[in-house]
mmCIF file of all heavy atoms in Angstrom:
data_model
loop_
_atom_site.group_PDB
_atom_site.id
_atom_site.type_symbol
_atom_site.label_atom_id
_atom_site.label_comp_id
_atom_site.label_asym_id
_atom_site.label_seq_id
_atom_site.Cartn_x
_atom_site.Cartn_y
_atom_site.Cartn_z
ATOM 1 N N GLN A 321 10.786 14.767 54.909
ATOM 2 C CA GLN A 321 9.973 15.628 54.049
ATOM 3 C C GLN A 321 9.627 14.913 52.739
ATOM 4 O O GLN A 321 10.491 14.311 52.094
ATOM 5 C CB GLN A 321 10.718 16.923 53.724
ATOM 6 C CG GLN A 321 9.891 17.945 52.955
ATOM 7 C CD GLN A 321 10.701 19.164 52.536
ATOM 8 O OE1 GLN A 321 11.452 19.119 51.577
ATOM 9 N NE2 GLN A 321 10.540 20.257 53.293
ATOM 10 N N PRO A 354 15.286 9.773 43.555
ATOM 11 C CA PRO A 354 16.455 8.885 43.397
ATOM 12 C C PRO A 354 16.572 8.314 41.992
ATOM 13 O O PRO A 354 17.688 8.179 41.467
ATOM 14 C CB PRO A 354 16.183 7.782 44.436
ATOM 15 C CG PRO A 354 15.362 8.448 45.485
ATOM 16 C CD PRO A 354 14.488 9.414 44.740
ATOM 17 N N PRO A 407 46.417 20.085 30.627
ATOM 18 C CA PRO A 407 45.045 20.563 30.858
ATOM 19 C C PRO A 407 44.974 21.992 31.360
ATOM 20 O O PRO A 407 43.951 22.655 31.203
ATOM 21 C CB PRO A 407 44.509 19.570 31.900
ATOM 22 C CG PRO A 407 45.707 18.940 32.517
ATOM 23 C CD PRO A 407 46.762 18.923 31.480
ATOM 24 N N ASN A 455 44.391 -9.501 25.011
ATOM 25 C CA ASN A 455 43.808 -10.242 23.889
ATOM 26 C C ASN A 455 42.281 -10.355 24.014
ATOM 27 O O ASN A 455 41.706 -11.438 23.883
ATOM 28 C CB ASN A 455 44.421 -11.649 23.796
ATOM 29 C CG ASN A 455 45.914 -11.608 23.557
ATOM 30 O OD1 ASN A 455 46.426 -10.674 22.934
ATOM 31 N ND2 ASN A 455 46.618 -12.606 24.066
ATOM 32 N N SER A 465 41.490 -9.840 32.911
ATOM 33 C CA SER A 465 40.929 -10.922 32.107
ATOM 34 C C SER A 465 41.706 -11.083 30.807
ATOM 35 O O SER A 465 42.412 -10.168 30.371
ATOM 36 C CB SER A 465 39.446 -10.673 31.833
ATOM 37 O OG SER A 465 38.708 -10.695 33.050
ATOM 38 N N CYS A 480 36.217 -16.486 27.962
ATOM 39 C CA CYS A 480 34.774 -16.336 28.168
ATOM 40 C C CYS A 480 34.166 -15.563 26.996
ATOM 41 O O CYS A 480 34.746 -14.589 26.519
ATOM 42 C CB CYS A 480 34.483 -15.604 29.476
ATOM 43 S SG CYS A 480 34.914 -16.545 30.953
ATOM 44 N N ALA A 530 20.883 -28.961 32.347
ATOM 45 C CA ALA A 530 19.484 -28.522 32.435
ATOM 46 C C ALA A 530 18.893 -28.811 33.806
ATOM 47 O O ALA A 530 17.942 -29.572 33.960
ATOM 48 C CB ALA A 530 18.650 -29.189 31.338
ATOM 49 N N ASN A 533 18.656 -25.207 41.142
ATOM 50 C CA ASN A 533 18.675 -25.302 42.614
ATOM 51 C C ASN A 533 19.476 -26.490 43.139
ATOM 52 O O ASN A 533 19.193 -27.012 44.224
ATOM 53 C CB ASN A 533 17.242 -25.384 43.175
ATOM 54 C CG ASN A 533 16.369 -24.213 42.805
ATOM 55 O OD1 ASN A 533 15.230 -24.378 42.381
ATOM 56 N ND2 ASN A 533 16.893 -22.996 42.946
ATOM 57 N N LYS A 554 23.285 -39.627 27.521
ATOM 58 C CA LYS A 554 22.343 -38.530 27.245
ATOM 59 C C LYS A 554 23.076 -37.371 26.557
ATOM 60 O O LYS A 554 22.593 -36.811 25.567
ATOM 61 C CB LYS A 554 21.735 -38.027 28.561
ATOM 62 C CG LYS A 554 20.710 -38.966 29.185
ATOM 63 C CD LYS A 554 19.318 -38.651 28.690
ATOM 64 C CE LYS A 554 18.275 -39.358 29.522
ATOM 65 N NZ LYS A 554 16.911 -39.133 28.981
ATOM 66 N N ARG A 626 31.596 3.716 51.672
ATOM 67 C CA ARG A 626 30.917 3.902 52.964
ATOM 68 C C ARG A 626 30.531 5.370 53.159
ATOM 69 O O ARG A 626 31.124 6.285 52.588
ATOM 70 C CB ARG A 626 31.799 3.430 54.122
ATOM 71 C CG ARG A 626 33.137 4.133 54.238
ATOM 72 C CD ARG A 626 33.942 3.585 55.415
ATOM 73 N NE ARG A 626 33.245 3.825 56.663
ATOM 74 C CZ ARG A 626 33.558 3.210 57.815
ATOM 75 N NH1 ARG A 626 34.517 2.321 57.841
ATOM 76 N NH2 ARG A 626 32.889 3.487 58.916
ATOM 77 N N SER A 637 35.306 4.663 48.244
ATOM 78 C CA SER A 637 34.891 6.061 48.382
ATOM 79 C C SER A 637 34.221 6.287 49.731
ATOM 80 O O SER A 637 33.588 5.390 50.295
ATOM 81 C CB SER A 637 33.947 6.455 47.248
ATOM 82 O OG SER A 637 34.630 6.440 46.016
ATOM 83 N N ARG A 661 39.753 14.296 46.441
ATOM 84 C CA ARG A 661 39.474 14.632 47.834
ATOM 85 C C ARG A 661 38.994 16.080 47.905
ATOM 86 O O ARG A 661 39.563 16.975 47.277
ATOM 87 C CB ARG A 661 40.745 14.454 48.679
ATOM 88 C CG ARG A 661 40.540 14.643 50.183
ATOM 89 C CD ARG A 661 41.858 14.448 50.926
ATOM 90 N NE ARG A 661 41.657 14.579 52.373
ATOM 91 C CZ ARG A 661 41.374 13.578 53.189
ATOM 92 N NH1 ARG A 661 41.286 12.353 52.703
ATOM 93 N NH2 ARG A 661 41.195 13.783 54.479
ATOM 94 N N TYR A 698 41.750 30.543 46.478
ATOM 95 C CA TYR A 698 40.808 29.467 46.132
ATOM 96 C C TYR A 698 39.573 29.508 47.030
ATOM 97 O O TYR A 698 38.430 29.515 46.533
ATOM 98 C CB TYR A 698 41.511 28.112 46.260
ATOM 99 C CG TYR A 698 40.587 26.926 46.102
ATOM 100 C CD1 TYR A 698 40.245 26.445 44.846
ATOM 101 C CD2 TYR A 698 40.057 26.281 47.218
ATOM 102 C CE1 TYR A 698 39.393 25.355 44.702
ATOM 103 C CE2 TYR A 698 39.215 25.185 47.087
ATOM 104 C CZ TYR A 698 38.884 24.736 45.829
ATOM 105 O OH TYR A 698 38.049 23.653 45.696
ATOM 106 N N VAL A 742 13.561 6.706 26.197
ATOM 107 C CA VAL A 742 14.280 7.808 25.555
ATOM 108 C C VAL A 742 13.389 9.041 25.391
ATOM 109 O O VAL A 742 13.841 10.182 25.577
ATOM 110 C CB VAL A 742 14.849 7.358 24.196
ATOM 111 C CG1 VAL A 742 15.531 8.522 23.492
ATOM 112 C CG2 VAL A 742 15.830 6.207 24.387
ATOM 113 N N ALA A 752 19.318 13.014 21.923
ATOM 114 C CA ALA A 752 19.505 11.743 21.231
ATOM 115 C C ALA A 752 19.961 12.033 19.812
ATOM 116 O O ALA A 752 19.731 13.123 19.275
ATOM 117 C CB ALA A 752 18.206 10.937 21.228
ATOM 118 N N GLU A 753 20.637 11.062 19.211
ATOM 119 C CA GLU A 753 21.124 11.215 17.838
ATOM 120 C C GLU A 753 20.892 9.934 17.056
ATOM 121 O O GLU A 753 20.955 8.833 17.617
ATOM 122 C CB GLU A 753 22.632 11.517 17.826
ATOM 123 C CG GLU A 753 23.014 12.882 18.358
ATOM 124 C CD GLU A 753 24.522 13.100 18.288
ATOM 125 O OE1 GLU A 753 25.198 12.311 17.587
ATOM 126 O OE2 GLU A 753 25.008 14.033 18.942
ATOM 127 N N THR A 770 20.699 -15.717 8.406
ATOM 128 C CA THR A 770 20.016 -16.999 8.191
ATOM 129 C C THR A 770 20.799 -17.916 7.255
ATOM 130 O O THR A 770 20.503 -19.117 7.174
ATOM 131 C CB THR A 770 18.610 -16.764 7.619
ATOM 132 O OG1 THR A 770 18.718 -15.926 6.451
ATOM 133 C CG2 THR A 770 17.718 -16.077 8.642
ATOM 134 N N TYR A 799 32.511 -12.520 12.392
ATOM 135 C CA TYR A 799 33.087 -13.462 13.336
ATOM 136 C C TYR A 799 34.606 -13.300 13.312
ATOM 137 O O TYR A 799 35.193 -12.970 12.277
ATOM 138 C CB TYR A 799 32.729 -14.902 12.968
ATOM 139 C CG TYR A 799 31.249 -15.202 12.983
ATOM 140 C CD1 TYR A 799 30.585 -15.564 11.808
ATOM 141 C CD2 TYR A 799 30.515 -15.129 14.153
ATOM 142 C CE1 TYR A 799 29.229 -15.844 11.810
ATOM 143 C CE2 TYR A 799 29.156 -15.399 14.168
ATOM 144 C CZ TYR A 799 28.515 -15.754 12.994
ATOM 145 O OH TYR A 799 27.169 -16.022 13.009
ATOM 146 N N VAL A 874 16.574 -24.925 49.838
ATOM 147 C CA VAL A 874 17.596 -25.101 48.804
ATOM 148 C C VAL A 874 18.979 -25.281 49.395
ATOM 149 O O VAL A 874 19.706 -26.217 49.054
ATOM 150 C CB VAL A 874 17.597 -23.903 47.829
ATOM 151 C CG1 VAL A 874 18.718 -24.040 46.805
ATOM 152 C CG2 VAL A 874 16.252 -23.793 47.135
#
Side-chain angles (χ1 to χ4, degrees):
Q321 186 185 78
N455 299 330
S465 296
C480 292
N533 302 133
K554 287 270 193 184
R626 59 180 298 165
S637 294
R661 186 180 182 91
Y698 172 83
V742 177
E753 291 181 14
T770 53
Y799 298 116
V874 176

